[in-house]
Amino acid sequence: MSDRLAVLPQYLLPKQALSVLAGWFASARAGGLTTGAIRRFVARYGVDMSEAAEPDIASYATFNDFFTRALRPGARPLAQADAICPVDGVVSQLGPIEQDRIFQAKGHHYSTTALLAGDAELAERFRDGSFATIYLSPRDYHRIHMPCDGRLLRMEHVPGSLFSVNPTTARGVPGLFARNERVVCLFDTPLGPMALVLVGATIVGSMATVWHGQVNPPRTGRLRRWDYGDQQIVLRQGEEMGRFLLGSTVVLLFERDAVRFGVDWAALRPTRLGDAMATALRRG
C-alpha cells in the first residue's frame, strides 16, 4: 500500500474532536482506570520506567502526569557540545535548508515561511541555513530541553490541522509540519537566531512551555503571538523549555553557517536528550 493511500483515512477522521477527547481523558483523575490505562500503555510501547523519577505507575494521578514524567537525576547526561539534542526520539530528517525549502520526505518539501506562519522576514534569517526534525514516539520522554543557551524573543501559536506525524504520514501528507498546529519559539543564542518549533499531532492534548504554561487549548483558530524581547527570559543549555501532552515532533532551524551536525547524525538515527548534536561554525 502506498503511503498516500495509507494516510487517506486521516483526511476523513474528526482529528480535532479526537484530540479534545484524548485531552479530556488524559487529564481525568480516574483512579484505577487511569492506572490501568498507564499500565497497558507501558506494556504496549515498552516504556522504560526505571528511567523515571517516579517509577511507580500507581503514583500518577492522571495520564498527563505519567506522559510528562520527569527523569531521575543522571538519566540523561549532557554532552560537551555547542548544541545538544533537545529530546528523546529519532531523526526524521536533517540537513541544509535549500533557499527556503526544508526536506520532509522523498518527494516532499515545505517552506520555512509556511512553517513560521507566513513570516517571510523571519524565514529570511534562516535562508540557506540548517534544520533538524526529530520525531518523538509514544514510548519516549516528552519534555523538550534547550540545545544551547538562549534568550527568548517571541512565541507564536499557529492554528492548523492535527495529522499524525509518524514516518508514514510524513511520507504521505505534503507539507505536513507546516500545516499541523504548532508552537514557534524564537531564541537569540550564541549560535545566532534559533527557531524551536513544537509540532502538534492527532490526539496531542496540548503543548506547554515553562515560561507560559499550557499554550493550547484554547484553540481559537487564529494566530496568537507573544513578544518577550523586553524581558530577560534566559534558559541554559539542557534546561527544560516545554513539553508535549501526548507525543509529536520538534523542528530546529539555524541560520546559514551557524552549525555543523555531527557526522553520525542522519535520518532514522535514534536520539537521546543530551547527545552531542552540532558544532558551532561561528559564535554569535
Side-chain angles (χ1 to χ4, degrees):
M1 180 186 297
S2 72
D3 293 321
R4 291 199 177 189
L5 187 59
V7 302
L8 182 60
Q10 293 191 47
Y11 286 91
L12 307 177
L13 285 172
K15 295 180 284 295
Q16 291 278 356
L18 286 172
S19 297
V20 170
L21 182 62
W24 173 83
F25 174 77
S27 62
R29 294 176 178 269
L33 182 62
T34 293
T35 301
I38 294 171
R39 199 176 303 280
R40 288 190 293 273
F41 187 94
V42 168
R44 177 177 179 182
Y45 292 106
V47 178
D48 184 359
M49 292 302 293
S50 70
E51 296 182 331
E54 177 48 79
D56 180 9
I57 289 172
S59 70
Y60 295 99
T62 70
F63 192 88
N64 276 341
D65 290 345
F66 155 73
F67 203 79
T68 60
R69 63 195 176 276
L71 294 173
R72 60 174 171 76
R76 295 291 184 276
L78 305 183
Q80 296 294 315
D82 295 319
I84 61 171
C85 183
V87 292
D88 286 4
V90 63
V91 177
S92 176
Q93 296 293 340
L94 84 164
I97 300 170
E98 299 176 352
Q99 297 185 354
D100 73 338
R101 283 165 38 99
I102 298 173
F103 182 66
Q104 175 177 301
K106 184 177 180 180
H108 297 303
H109 291 77
Y110 60 96
S111 73
T112 51
T113 302
L115 180 69
L116 301 174
D119 190 333
E121 182 177 353
L122 177 59
E124 186 63 27
R125 302 182 69 178
F126 299 104
R127 176 176 287 271
D128 295 319
S130 302
F131 80 96
T133 305
I134 305 172
Y135 167 66
L136 288 71
S137 74
R139 65 172 293 170
D140 290 320
Y141 169 68
H142 274 81
R143 298 189 187 190
I144 306 117
H145 295 247
M146 290 294 290
C148 56
D149 294 351
R151 185 171 77 88
L152 180 66
L153 299 179
R154 79 186 206 206
M155 177 177 74
E156 293 179 336
H157 173 234
V158 187
S161 189
L162 287 170
F163 286 97
S164 170
V165 290
N166 63 33
T168 298
T169 311
R171 295 190 298 268
V173 176
L176 173 63
F177 303 120
R179 66 195 297 176
N180 265 17
E181 179 181 30
R182 54 204 179 276
V183 174
V184 178
C185 305
L186 180 65
F187 293 92
D188 182 30
T189 82
L191 308 176
M194 177 187 73
L196 201 164
V197 184
L198 285 59
V199 183
T202 308
I203 75 170
V204 173
S206 76
M207 294 174 275
T209 63
V210 297
W211 59 85
H212 181 89
Q214 183 172 295
V215 179
N216 67 307
R219 290 183 169 96
T220 64
R222 58 181 177 81
L223 178 70
R224 294 184 292 150
R225 175 173 172 171
W226 296 264
D227 289 304
Y228 300 100
D230 60 348
Q231 301 180 42
Q232 287 295 316
I233 301 177
V234 176
L235 298 174
R236 300 302 178 191
Q237 185 183 61
E239 289 186 353
E240 181 186 347
M241 61 76 59
R243 60 186 66 179
F244 290 112
L245 281 72
L246 302 179
S248 198
T249 288
V250 167
V251 181
L252 288 162
L253 304 182
F254 298 97
E255 69 178 352
R256 182 177 181 177
D257 297 329
V259 300
R260 179 175 60 245
F261 290 111
V263 295
D264 59 333
W265 271 67
L268 304 182
R269 178 195 190 274
T271 69
R272 284 166 68 91
L273 165 65
D275 286 352
M277 181 175 70
T279 301
L281 296 179
R282 55 184 171 79
R283 304 292 171 175

